[in-house]
């Protein structure tokens, strides 16, 4: 199981890394003696004599049969209709070649003949998105070849429809089958046999069904997948250099959704539709917080040693809990070049496991001695080692490539306890997630022990020849430390100095933690380490551990060389954004890509709070610039001719990256629009009569983190919290619901325009009168919003006068008396002064 919910890691991060990598290679050649550190793993089940490496790899007899299976019995059909959830296959005429049964079970078939596949997703949003990508109002594909794999008894449906055998079947079923197997192994790198093995070795009925369709209209690489455990996104490696075609997103998990249609041909690549099982819509049980994977992880005890060249040697003691009955095979996500030597069970017995070649379908899975019942726990010990999970970049700089799968993981959707021991060459410093329990030098190595403060979705580390600086945060909730490598990779430190900026980084960390604690509530990770990573264009946040791009640690002059146009105020906001992920993504996690906008959008909005409250030496100039940039991102047209705002709602998450929409769309939609959504809620809740204008907003956010802390929250969970705390003014539809707001901005794609004109006049009694004319346009008829109106006073202060509700494409006029402005004459009136309305705003 591969899963990476925080994308843009490997390829995109190497922007500045090429030069450094080259340097690292040269340096590595110079140091032939690489120091190997050994884990000593005093784990309960660590065998006195370790088993022979890989003796029990890929040897399970059922697995071997799955790897070698081939098409056999021919079944001729005419007019067979197979309904598979929302998809319908119609086999007009042709022949199925059923795969040879394994342990009495048929796991697939090859079809050659004349057939079609039609798909109608269960929701309007999915229907719309599929039509948009397929460029047709309905999705129908004709095909003459397809491979099916299943454990749901599809063979019985085929056999029931068997007609008289055809005189002579033409075609090459074995060749068609081999081609799909080879695509899975070498292009998609997904070990489907592991998934089938789970069902074959279970006493419970299987429900897997997947079709590899060689379509005529949409290219030969269509996959229709149904999996009660949640579907995976099939994505091939980027096309070879000589092949034209965009890079679509890296792999990410589509679970808990169970049905997906994926196109993986480069020119059309994307996840075209994805949704839950039909019965969940019928029963009203659709929930993106559904946990349908086979296991959760209660505890990870990890020990890892890193050699000078970055090679990792690890032992993981992983306690899994079965999520349903009949769990016999446990699939994990483990970085492919980390090769498993052996696995033992909780009584010290050796366990059989699966892990194919690092360059192929290397999914790691463990076969338990007996199946688990729902709720039963089991502890697995895995010994593994390999290069490339951590890269030695030279000058004692290391880059962790495997961020969330350097240990056997089941993804980021659950929270687990972590205990970790790290060995690194003496003289280097380790910084990891959790509480530091022990830090000693012994012989040639430094050993540290860490334990999570609270359950975490993920654990990680960063190390190097770090210089460190520590200080308590302003409210003394947490410790803040900054760790940077004095030299930097490739001798960078001889050109730039990172160390003087550590003070600033620490201060920024202190202020951000203090500010966000006030707004969002206290968070459980008592320490925050701000560390450097060799990348110039991305940061990442793990619980208590933030990775920041190297130029972040440079002063303004040097930063400028990395981002000459100060695009997106990148280095001013990356710190606060990543620190805010301590709340958004970690304290409150997400279980589905549908809810990832909360994590990114809220982190981005948090950065705006920082700009407003901290970088305020230019008044609100930086703050306004921030929101202007977010509007630009939403409305710029990309190479595919698309504006992010139009492609789809934030709840489509990383699925918005397809060959037809452009790969920039998720980044340019869920971050800025997600930020706008929360910012608008904040501003609607503001109360100028209160000592703290954000009092209500803070109460809502504290409630949100208290309710969903150390767990995951869905979009609908957030909506419920917002409805609990909404003000009467926000109740535009008089039903105490925010359906109007969520339908327009969260589930919708509209981008309204506003035109505001005003004048001042005097009433007959001499009172000042503000005459306003507000027009809303480019919206659907039912589109409602409440528009804040501000006045700027003589001395430049801005005050909010009130809020104007407006519906549809219309103009409203109002004349209001302004008796009490403290004798001041207003300079002007305006709407959306705090960038608190998403849309194009014109103040006249
Ligand atoms: Zn982020």
């Amino acid at each position: 199981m591969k899963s990476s919910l925080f994308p843009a890691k490997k390829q995109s991060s190497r922007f500045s890394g090429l030069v450094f990598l080259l340097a690292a290679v040269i340096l590595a050649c110079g140091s032939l003696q690489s120091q190997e550190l050994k884990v000593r793993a005093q784990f309960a089940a660590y065998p006195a004599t370790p088993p022979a490496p890989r003796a029990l790899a890929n040897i399970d007899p059922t697995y071997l049969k799955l790897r070698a299976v081939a098409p056999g019995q021919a079944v001729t059909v005419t007019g067979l209709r197979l309904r598979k959830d929302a998809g319908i296959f119609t086999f007009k005429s042709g022949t199925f070649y059923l795969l040879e049964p394994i342990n009495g079970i048929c796991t697939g078939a090859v079809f050659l003949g004349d057939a079609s596949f039609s798909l109608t997703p269960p929701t309007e949003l999915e229907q719309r998105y599929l039509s948009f990508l397929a460029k047709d109002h309905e999705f129908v594909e004709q095909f003459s070849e397809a491979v099916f794999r299943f454990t749901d008894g599809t063979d019985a449906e085929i056999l029931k429809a068997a007609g008289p055998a055809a005189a002579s079947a033409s075609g090459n079923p074995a060749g068609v089958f081999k081609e799909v197997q080879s695509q899975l192994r070498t292009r998609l790198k997904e070990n489907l046999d592991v998934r089938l093995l789970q069902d074959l070795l279970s006493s419970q009925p299987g429900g897997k069904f997947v079709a590899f369709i060689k379509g005529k209209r949409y290219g030969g690489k269509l996959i229709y997948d149904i999996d009660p455990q949640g579907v995976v996104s099939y994505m091939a490696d980027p096309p070879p250099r000589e092949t034209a075609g965009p890079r679509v997103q890296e792999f990410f998990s589509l679970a808990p959704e169970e049905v997906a249609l994926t196109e993986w041909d480069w020119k059309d690549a994307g996840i075209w539709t994805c949704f839950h099982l039909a019965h969940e819509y019928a029963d009203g049980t659709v929930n993106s917080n559904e946990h349908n994977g086979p296991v959760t992880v209660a505890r990870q005890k990890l020990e890892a040693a890193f050699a000078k060249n970055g090679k990792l040697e690890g032992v993981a003691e992983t306690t899994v809990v079965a999520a349903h009955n009949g769990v016999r095979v446990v699939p994990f996500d483990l970085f492919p070049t980390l090769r498993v030597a052996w696995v033992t069970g909780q009584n010290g017995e050796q366990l059989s496991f699966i892990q194919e070649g690092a360059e192929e379908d290397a999914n790691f899975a463990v076969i338990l001695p007996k199946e688990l019942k729902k709720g039963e726990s089991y502890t697995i010990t895995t010994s593994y080692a390999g290069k490339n999970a951590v890269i030695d970049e030279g000058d004692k700089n290391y880059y962790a490539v495997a961020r969330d799968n350097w240990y056997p993981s089941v993804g980021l959707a659950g929270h687990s306890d972590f205990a970790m021991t790290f060995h690194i060459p003496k003289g280097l410093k380790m910084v990891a997630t959790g509480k530091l329990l022990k830090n000693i030098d012994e012989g040639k190595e430094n050993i540290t022990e860490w334990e999570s403060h609270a359950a975490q979705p993920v654990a990680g580390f960063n190390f190097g020849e770090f210089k460190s600086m520590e200080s308590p945060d302003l409210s003394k909730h947490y410790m803040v430390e900054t760790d940077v490598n004095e030299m930097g990779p490739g001798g960078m430190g001889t050109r730039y100095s990172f160390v003087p900026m550590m003070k600033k980084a620490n201060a920024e960390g202190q202020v951000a933690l203090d500010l966000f604690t006030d707004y969002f509530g206290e968070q459980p990770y008592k320490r925050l380490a701000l560390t450097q990573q060799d990348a110039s264009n991305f940061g990442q946040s793990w619980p208590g551990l933030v990775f920041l791009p190297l130029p972040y640690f440079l002063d303004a002059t040097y930063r400028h060389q990395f981002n000459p146009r100060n695009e997106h105020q990148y280095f001013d906001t990356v710190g606060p954004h990543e620190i805010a992920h301590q709340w958004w993504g970690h304290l409150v996690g997400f279980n589905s890509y549908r809810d990832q906008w909360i994590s990114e959008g809220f982190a981005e909005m948090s950065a705006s709070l920082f700009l407003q409250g901290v970088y305020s030496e230019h008044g609100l100039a930086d703050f306004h610039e921030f929101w202007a940039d977010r509007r630009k991102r939403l409305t710029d047209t990309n190479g595919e001719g698309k504006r992010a705002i139009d492609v789809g709602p934030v709840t489509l998450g990383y699925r918005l990256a397809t060959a037809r929409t452009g790969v920039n769309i998720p980044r340019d939609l869920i971050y800025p629009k997600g930020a706008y959504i929360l910012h608008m809620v904040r501003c609607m809740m503001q109360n100028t009569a209160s000592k703290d204008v954000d009092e209500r907003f803070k109460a809502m956010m504290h409630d949100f983190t208290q309710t969903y802390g150390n767990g995951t929250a869905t979009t609908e969970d957030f909506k419920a919290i917002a409805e609990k705390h909404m003000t009467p003014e926000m109740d535009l539809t008089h039903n105490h619901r925010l359906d109007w707001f969520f339908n327009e901005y969260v589930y919708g794609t509209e981008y309204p325009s506003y035109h505001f004109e005003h004048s001042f006049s005097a009433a007959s009694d001499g009172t000042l009168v503000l005459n306003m004319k507000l027009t809303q346009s480019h919206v659907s008829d039912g589109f409602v919003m409440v528009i804040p109106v501000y006045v700027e006073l003589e001395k430049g202060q801005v005050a909010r006068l009130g809020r104007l509700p407006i519906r549809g494409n219309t103009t409203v006029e109002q004349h209001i008396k302004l008796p009490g402005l403290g004798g001041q004459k207003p300079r002007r009136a305006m709407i959306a002064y705090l960038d608190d309305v998403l849309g194009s705003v014109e103040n006249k």
Side-chain angles (χ1 to χ4, degrees):
M1 183 165 53
K2 295 171 281 182
S3 81
S4 167
L5 296 177
F6 293 76
K9 274 181 291 182
K10 282 156 244 163
Q11 290 91 348
S12 57
S13 65
R14 313 310 301 155
F15 176 67
S16 71
L18 287 174
V19 182
F20 308 147
L21 267 184
L22 202 66
V25 169
I26 294 162
L27 282 166
C29 297
S31 62
L32 289 171
Q33 284 174 308
S34 126
Q35 184 185 351
E36 298 269 339
L37 302 180
K38 295 273 179 226
V39 297
R40 40 198 81 148
Q42 285 141 11
F43 292 168
Y46 196 96
T49 321
R54 295 191 73 80
L56 296 191
N58 311 328
I59 55 139
D60 179 84
T62 307
Y63 176 73
L64 291 175
K65 285 182 206 159
L66 277 164
R67 293 300 268 189
V69 75
Q73 185 190 353
V75 181
T76 305
V77 297
T78 41
L80 168 63
R81 208 176 111 103
L82 280 184
R83 172 176 268 283
K84 292 292 167 183
D85 201 85
I88 295 170
F89 292 90
T90 308
F91 302 97
K92 281 167 221 135
S93 64
T95 307
F96 280 99
Y97 299 87
L98 299 179
L99 299 189
E100 300 148 346
I102 296 170
N103 304 350
I105 294 167
C106 173
T107 62
V110 175
F111 175 80
L112 302 178
D114 180 10
S116 68
F117 171 63
S118 70
L119 180 61
T120 309
T123 69
E124 209 193 304
L125 164 62
E126 288 302 329
Q127 286 167 21
R128 246 188 294 132
Y129 195 56
L130 178 58
S131 300
F132 163 64
L133 291 173
K135 298 180 179 160
D136 206 340
H137 63 285
E138 55 176 10
F139 182 84
V140 182
E141 177 64 306
Q142 310 293 328
F143 63 92
S144 53
E145 282 179 26
V147 169
F148 300 92
R149 300 306 305 270
F150 46 77
T151 56
D152 68 344
T154 296
D155 53 312
E157 295 179 78
I158 295 168
L159 284 167
K160 224 164 56 189
S168 69
S170 60
N172 175 10
V176 170
F177 184 66
K178 271 229 157 70
E179 189 189 351
V180 167
Q181 275 191 314
S182 147
Q183 286 171 345
L184 278 164
R185 288 176 195 183
T186 62
R187 298 287 318 279
L188 298 166
K189 303 188 177 180
E190 182 62 34
N191 193 332
L192 179 60
D193 297 313
V194 164
R195 177 63 191 84
L196 298 169
L197 185 69
Q198 285 179 258
D199 289 356
L200 289 188
L201 295 187
S202 174
S203 61
Q204 300 298 307
K208 176 79 186 173
F209 174 89
V210 54
F212 300 87
I213 304 164
K214 214 165 187 177
K216 291 181 175 163
R217 177 173 176 190
Y218 297 112
K221 290 167 178 152
L222 218 46
I223 302 177
Y224 179 60
D225 194 7
I226 301 175
D227 194 330
Q229 297 186 2
V231 275
V232 298
S233 75
Y234 292 93
M235 278 298 143
D237 277 350
R241 214 175 274 267
E242 61 273 16
T243 316
R247 270 164 186 269
V248 176
Q249 78 283 0
E250 281 180 62
F251 181 91
F252 67 100
S253 173
L254 296 171
E257 286 167 30
E258 296 94 345
V259 187
L261 178 72
T262 303
E263 168 70 82
W264 67 278
D265 197 29
W266 279 106
K267 68 182 194 340
D268 301 314
I271 293 137
W272 282 20
T273 186
C274 188
F275 42 85
H276 288 275
L277 293 168
H279 78 82
E280 296 176 58
Y281 294 93
D283 307 342
T285 54
V286 168
N287 182 351
S288 64
N289 231 348
E290 178 186 11
H291 290 265
N292 46 11
V295 297
T296 55
V297 171
R299 184 175 162 79
Q300 292 273 17
K301 188 174 168 189
L302 309 172
E303 180 153 2
F306 299 92
K308 257 185 181 162
N309 63 3
K311 187 184 171 193
L312 186 164
E313 192 181 325
V315 179
E317 194 181 273
T318 308
T319 303
V320 298
V321 181
H324 50 78
N325 286 334
V327 175
R328 177 78 196 286
V329 178
V330 181
F332 287 110
D333 180 14
L334 182 67
F335 194 72
T337 63
L338 294 174
R339 309 303 297 164
V340 176
W342 49 260
V343 181
T344 52
Q346 57 190 18
N347 301 314
E349 71 273 46
Q350 277 199 66
L351 300 184
S352 163
F353 64 93
I354 315 291
Q355 190 192 40
E356 298 289 343
E359 294 298 322
E360 299 201 340
D361 50 343
N363 307 47
F364 171 50
V366 175
I367 302 163
L368 303 179
K370 63 168 186 60
E371 67 177 33
L372 303 178
K373 286 196 202 64
K374 183 179 177 176
E376 204 178 330
S377 66
Y378 191 87
T379 299
I380 295 165
T381 303
T382 307
S383 168
Y384 59 100
K387 289 182 187 167
N388 302 330
V390 173
I391 297 174
D392 171 13
E393 309 211 282
D395 292 328
K396 295 176 183 169
N397 285 266
Y398 294 87
Y399 183 86
V401 178
R403 294 280 164 96
D404 52 6
N405 56 2
W406 60 275
Y407 55 90
S409 144
V410 298
L412 298 172
H415 283 63
S416 325
D417 290 321
F418 286 87
M420 306 188 289
T421 304
F422 293 110
H423 305 251
I424 50 175
K426 198 159 104 182
L428 301 184
K429 186 184 175 189
M430 171 59 73
V431 187
T433 53
K435 194 191 316 178
L436 177 62
L437 302 179
K438 188 172 141 189
N439 181 5
I440 56 159
D441 283 341
E442 209 178 270
K444 286 181 175 167
E445 58 182 63
N446 166 264
I447 304 168
T448 51
E449 285 180 19
W450 307 78
E451 193 173 70
S452 47
H453 293 281
Q456 297 170 185
V458 67
F461 58 84
N462 196 359
F463 66 92
E465 196 177 39
F466 288 149
K467 280 242 175 277
S468 301
M469 180 183 284
E470 221 177 75
S471 33
D473 91 318
L474 302 175
S475 306
K476 308 203 169 46
H477 296 292
Y478 327 98
M479 288 300 295
V480 187
E481 73 171 74
T482 299
D483 301 276
V484 296
N485 196 309
E486 196 169 5
M487 183 49 82
M492 224 183 147
T494 54
R495 283 172 283 135
Y496 306 103
S497 179
F498 303 106
V499 176
M501 287 297 282
M502 292 172 73
K503 237 187 187 152
K504 185 174 181 216
N506 250 25
E508 198 165 280
Q510 288 176 301
V511 172
L513 283 172
D514 199 40
L515 179 73
F516 298 157
T517 298
D518 179 38
Y519 269 88
F520 311 136
E522 207 160 313
Q523 49 110 340
Y525 321 119
K526 292 295 169 198
R527 220 178 106 262
L528 180 76
L530 302 167
T531 66
Q532 73 159 52
Q533 69 174 352
D534 169 25
S536 68
N537 61 348
F538 88 107
Q540 195 171 35
S541 198
W542 269 183
L545 171 64
V546 170
F547 302 85
L548 289 165
L550 260 183
Y552 172 84
F553 297 101
L554 297 172
D555 69 29
T557 324
Y558 291 122
R559 276 183 183 182
H560 182 77
Q561 298 178 9
F562 289 86
N563 185 1
R565 284 177 297 143
N566 189 26
E567 217 177 346
H568 317 308
Q569 298 158 302
Y570 183 67
F571 295 116
D572 295 336
T573 54
V574 65
H577 174 106
E578 297 304 337
I579 293 169
H581 273 308
Q582 298 298 309
W583 282 264
W584 315 125
H586 296 310
L587 175 59
V588 179
F590 55 93
N591 185 52
S592 158
Y593 71 90
R594 298 245 179 209
D595 306 312
Q596 189 169 2
W597 73 270
I598 294 181
S599 165
E600 295 304 349
F602 285 21
E604 197 75 341
M605 184 276 186
S606 307
S608 86
L609 288 174
F610 191 86
L611 286 182
Q612 185 184 4
V614 183
Y615 285 157
S616 49
E617 68 263 39
H618 315 117
L620 286 180
D622 291 345
F623 176 82
H624 291 316
E625 193 191 322
F626 175 91
W627 290 109
D629 177 77
R630 270 60 197 168
R631 291 191 294 275
K632 187 172 176 315
R633 288 187 143 193
L634 289 168
T635 55
D636 272 353
T637 302
N638 67 10
E640 286 72 20
K642 301 284 189 292
R643 302 194 309 169
I645 188 79
D646 304 323
V647 172
V650 287
T651 51
L652 284 178
Y654 275 85
R655 276 182 52 207
L656 293 158
T658 72
R660 295 190 178 182
T661 55
V663 294
N664 67 303
I665 298 297
R667 186 66 184 77
D668 288 334
L669 186 84
I670 64 174
Y671 289 62
K673 196 180 180 191
Y676 249 108
I677 289 164
L678 188 63
H679 181 56
M680 288 195 285
V681 170
R682 173 197 174 202
C683 292
M684 285 192 292
M685 287 186 164
Q686 279 188 339
N687 177 11
T688 39
S690 165
K691 207 169 82 197
D692 178 355
V693 290
D694 284 323
E695 194 181 339
R696 295 178 189 139
F697 175 71
K698 288 176 186 172
M700 173 184 75
M701 298 309 276
H702 282 237
D703 193 4
F704 186 49
T705 56
Q706 269 157 25
T707 309
Y708 297 100
N710 300 319
T712 51
T714 66
T715 301
E716 293 68 38
D717 293 332
F718 175 64
K719 178 171 181 273
I721 289 277
E723 285 172 343
K724 186 174 154 191
H725 291 266
M726 68 194 275
T727 65
E729 245 180 336
M730 293 163 76
D731 193 6
L732 288 185
T733 44
H734 308 294
N735 57 356
H736 306 289
R737 300 292 299 269
L738 287 173
D739 295 305
W740 68 270
F741 182 83
F742 278 75
N743 288 339
E744 287 170 7
Y745 298 107
V746 179
Y747 306 117
T749 58
E750 294 191 64
Y751 193 75
S753 294
Y754 296 94
H755 182 87
F756 180 76
E757 285 176 33
H758 75 286
S759 65
F760 292 106
S761 59
S764 50
D765 63 359
T767 323
L768 187 68
V769 175
L770 169 61
N771 309 296
M772 302 181 284
K773 198 164 140 186
L774 172 67
T775 304
Q776 175 173 271
S777 58
H778 298 110
V779 292
S780 52
D781 292 342
F783 193 95
V784 291
M785 186 52 183
V786 55
I787 307 295
V789 180
Y790 297 84
V791 284
E792 186 182 333
L793 303 176
E794 273 171 330
K795 289 173 188 154
Q797 318 98 299
V798 175
R800 185 167 42 231
L801 274 184
R803 298 178 176 94
L804 272 180
I806 192 161
R807 173 186 291 270
N809 296 290
T810 189
T811 300
V812 291
E813 283 193 57
Q814 276 212 11
H815 309 274
I816 55 164
K817 284 189 174 179
L818 300 176
L821 288 177
Q824 288 203 60
K825 232 186 115 204
R827 270 190 201 157
R828 58 175 177 146
M830 59 201 148
I831 59 164
Y833 170 69
L834 288 178
D835 300 282
D836 35 5
V837 179
L838 177 63
S840 142
V841 173
E842 197 183 8
N843 277 301
K844 274 273 155 74

